[in-house]
């Protein structure tokens, strides 16, 4: 018998498959739809202080390999999500993970404090939304980020905190950020957010595919998987002795992808673009595929292979 269960901080998940933030998870029907699928937990779409409509359309485009998004954080505001969470919890036993983003230091603190006193199980603090013009990602500001992380920790002492981070493409950046996560006592990290400032060109029309931000937007989908795996494996090697856990995200489309992320050190994974493409059935399909791979390899739990990637030649 294969056991897919996992603990994120002290929260029990029946399996490691979570919907990525940013797609569904904005109201009760949306959240229950994801809870009734074969997910291990449900992640809300990122919430802000105020309700937002998001960016002008077209703001999403996809093909087989890529998806480009500049949605611009449409959401009903954090108070709404806090208010509906007790009702959600009456309808499902799945853990609820919220996602929050502040447009200033003070906003992050307000959001962390409010969610600390709410019914959510875990807080994902989004330091890496690439889609708000004039608002640089906190995660790329190495003076601001450690102060912000510490303040978020102080504002939410009672909940597990996961930092949603972008891709870092240099090991020196990874080292600095790993130290910040350890110093600020975050329980976990989610890697990676969409690759910001990406561009896809429609040569036929000689136009961008999307409208906001001069056509520049966040890249997701199959094409970003190697970058995501590199960040998971890189951070895993820096964090494995600290107890800080990793949620892997980026281009996960099948059970084999899930297996690879866990082999590189992920405790759980998030599925975004593939959820849009394949609907709620994607979670059951991935779970079955993962079980089949584990059976073939003789693994009975995720711990049997988590972080055990071997280097060629060793
Ligand atoms: C959006 C995109 C992101 O990558 C993110 O982390 C949060 C929000 C968006 O455009 O809505």
């Amino acid at each position: 018998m294969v056991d897919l269960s996992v603990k994120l901080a002290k929260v029990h998940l029946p399996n490691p498959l979570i919907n990525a933030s940013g797609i569904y998870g904005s109201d009760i029907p949306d959240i229950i739809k994801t809870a009734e699928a074969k997910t291990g937990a449900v992640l809300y779409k990122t919430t802000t202080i105020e309700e937002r409509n998001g960016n002008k359309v077209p703001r999403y485009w996809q093909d087989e390999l890529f998806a480009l998004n500049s949605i611009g954080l449409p959401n009903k505001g954090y108070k709404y999500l806090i208010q509906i969470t007790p009702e959600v919890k009456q309808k499902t036993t799945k853990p609820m993970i919220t996602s929050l983003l502040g447009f200033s230091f003070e906003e992050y603190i307000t959001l962390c404090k409010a969610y600390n006193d709410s019914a959510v199980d875990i807080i994902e603090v989004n330091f890496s939304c690439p889609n708000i013009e004039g608002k640089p990602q906190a995660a790329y500001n190495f003076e601001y980020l450690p102060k912000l992380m510490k303040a978020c920790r102080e504002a939410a002492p009672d909940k597990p905190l996961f930092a949603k981070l972008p891709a870092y493409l240099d090991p020196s950046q990874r080292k600095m950020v790993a130290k910040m996560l350890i110093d600020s006592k975050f329980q976990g990290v989610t890697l990676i957010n969409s690759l910001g400032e990406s561009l896809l060109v429609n040569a036929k029309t000689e136009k961008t595919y999307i409208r906001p931000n001069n056509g520049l937007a966040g890249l997701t989908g199959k094409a970003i998987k190697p970058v995501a795996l590199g960040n998971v494996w890189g951070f895993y090697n820096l964090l494995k002795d600290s107890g800080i856990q990793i949620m892997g995200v980026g281009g996960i489309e099948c059970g084999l992808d899930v297996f690879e992320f866990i082999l590189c050190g992920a405790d759980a994974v998030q599925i975004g673009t593939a959820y849009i493409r394949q609907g709620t059935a994607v979670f059951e399909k991935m779970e079955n595929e993962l079980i089949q791979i584990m059976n073939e390899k003789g693994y009975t739990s995720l711990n049997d292979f988590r972080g055990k990637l071997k280097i060629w030649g060793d």
Side-chain angles (χ1 to χ4, degrees):
M1 241 332 246
V2 165
D3 176 13
L4 292 184
S5 68
V6 59
K7 268 195 169 174
L8 289 181
K10 293 200 171 87
V11 181
H12 176 268
L13 278 65
N15 72 46
L17 310 176
I18 304 168
N19 61 301
S21 182
I23 296 127
Y24 306 112
S26 300
D27 56 26
I28 294 178
D30 231 33
I31 292 165
I32 296 304
K33 184 179 90 166
T34 305
E36 285 174 351
K38 275 276 187 148
T39 43
V42 179
L43 178 48
Y44 295 168
K45 173 152 178 69
T46 300
T47 48
T48 52
I49 298 271
E50 306 291 344
E51 184 171 1
R52 293 172 55 85
N53 294 324
N55 292 338
K56 288 185 178 156
V57 295
R59 59 192 189 185
Y60 186 81
W61 186 86
Q62 66 177 34
D63 69 9
E64 284 294 296
L65 205 52
F66 310 108
L68 200 59
N69 79 81
S70 184
I71 312 297
L73 286 165
N75 76 98
K76 291 184 173 27
Y78 75 108
K79 285 185 182 156
Y80 176 78
L81 270 297
I82 288 178
Q83 183 214 318
I84 65 169
T85 300
E87 192 181 331
V88 164
K89 294 218 138 199
Q90 284 177 353
K91 294 181 196 284
T92 172
T93 56
K94 297 255 172 93
M96 292 295 140
I97 309 174
T98 195
S99 169
L100 66 86
L101 181 139
F103 290 120
S104 66
F105 196 90
E106 291 70 29
E107 284 194 9
Y108 272 106
I109 305 316
T110 302
L111 291 163
C112 282
K113 276 191 177 146
Y115 277 117
N116 184 65
D117 299 334
S118 79
V120 301
D121 298 285
I122 295 174
I123 302 173
E124 186 175 89
V125 188
N126 189 346
F127 297 117
S128 53
C129 175
N131 294 336
I132 308 299
E133 282 183 64
K135 302 279 181 195
Q137 295 186 35
Y140 286 133
N141 183 335
F142 293 141
E143 277 182 31
Y144 180 55
L145 187 60
K147 292 179 194 138
L148 187 56
M149 282 184 176
K150 277 192 182 144
C152 288
R153 174 76 287 163
E154 277 169 29
D158 306 320
K159 300 281 187 205
L161 291 184
F162 276 67
K164 175 92 178 255
L165 297 178
Y168 294 107
L169 303 180
D170 188 276
S172 65
Q173 297 176 323
R174 233 173 20 232
K175 258 192 195 159
M176 282 191 275
V177 176
K179 184 173 182 314
M180 293 174 206
L181 289 163
I182 293 167
D183 289 349
S184 55
K185 299 190 169 60
F186 268 57
Q187 276 83 359
V189 61
T190 303
L191 301 157
I192 57 171
N193 208 324
S194 44
L195 295 179
E197 299 290 295
S198 299
L199 181 64
L200 292 170
V201 170
N202 184 340
K204 203 164 143 195
T205 60
E206 302 182 9
K207 284 183 183 171
T208 63
Y209 281 106
I210 61 156
R211 181 171 176 185
N213 198 22
N214 225 11
L216 298 171
L219 187 69
T220 68
K222 197 181 182 73
I224 75 164
K225 193 181 88 170
V227 182
L229 281 173
N231 272 263
V232 168
W233 178 236
F235 269 101
Y236 175 74
N237 283 293
L238 295 167
L239 295 175
K240 62 185 169 195
D241 298 328
S242 70
I244 294 178
Q245 293 183 293
I246 297 176
M247 287 200 259
V249 52
I252 298 175
E253 297 200 330
C254 60
L256 190 62
D257 292 334
V258 177
F259 179 81
E260 289 180 10
F261 272 80
I262 297 172
L263 193 65
C264 290
D267 292 276
V269 295
Q270 299 180 359
I271 293 97
T273 307
Y275 186 11
I276 296 182
R277 279 188 214 282
Q278 301 179 44
T280 49
V282 75
F283 298 103
E284 187 168 6
K285 181 181 147 277
M286 275 182 195
E287 188 186 69
N288 289 337
E289 289 166 352
L290 180 61
I291 289 170
Q292 196 186 333
I293 293 164
M294 288 172 66
N295 277 332
E296 282 165 13
K297 288 175 176 278
Y299 294 138
T300 54
S301 79
L302 304 180
N303 281 336
D304 288 350
F305 60 97
R306 176 177 296 116
K308 297 202 172 143
L309 178 69
K310 295 187 276 286
I311 306 306
W312 197 94
D314 283 356

